[in-house]
Amino acid sequence: PADTGADPEVVVASLDDCAVTLSVRAWVEKENYWSVFFRFNERFYEELPSRAGISFPFPQLDVHLDKE
């Protein structure tokens, strides 16, 4: 691979109501983009909770049924 001089970085993409959204940027060859993208996402999901104590919030919805 060509040396682009760009190191991988983690940046704050947005500050949301209940979350800080991070973005990871790294240079990869065009043909490797999707394999790297999915492999990294899987590793983040598996390793961040145990290594950094980071949890992944998911939207929740409570449904209450009233009897007539």
Side-chain angles (χ1 to χ4, degrees):
D3 181 7
T4 63
D7 293 326
E9 63 182 349
V10 177
V11 298
V12 175
S14 64
L15 299 172
D16 302 317
D17 290 339
C18 297
V20 175
T21 302
L22 302 176
S23 180
V24 178
R25 299 176 182 167
W27 288 101
V28 297
E29 297 290 333
K30 183 178 174 180
E31 60 273 9
N32 297 329
Y33 176 81
W34 286 110
S35 63
V36 170
F37 176 84
F38 289 118
R39 188 170 61 242
F40 273 38
N41 276 329
E42 186 174 296
R43 287 195 61 194
F44 295 145
Y45 186 77
E46 291 172 352
E47 294 186 22
L48 284 176
S50 61
R51 290 182 178 227
I54 294 174
S55 62
F56 297 95
F58 293 97
Q60 296 181 16
L61 176 66
D62 291 330
V63 177
H64 300 270
L65 302 176
D66 294 326
K67 292 182 181 181
E68 287 187 28

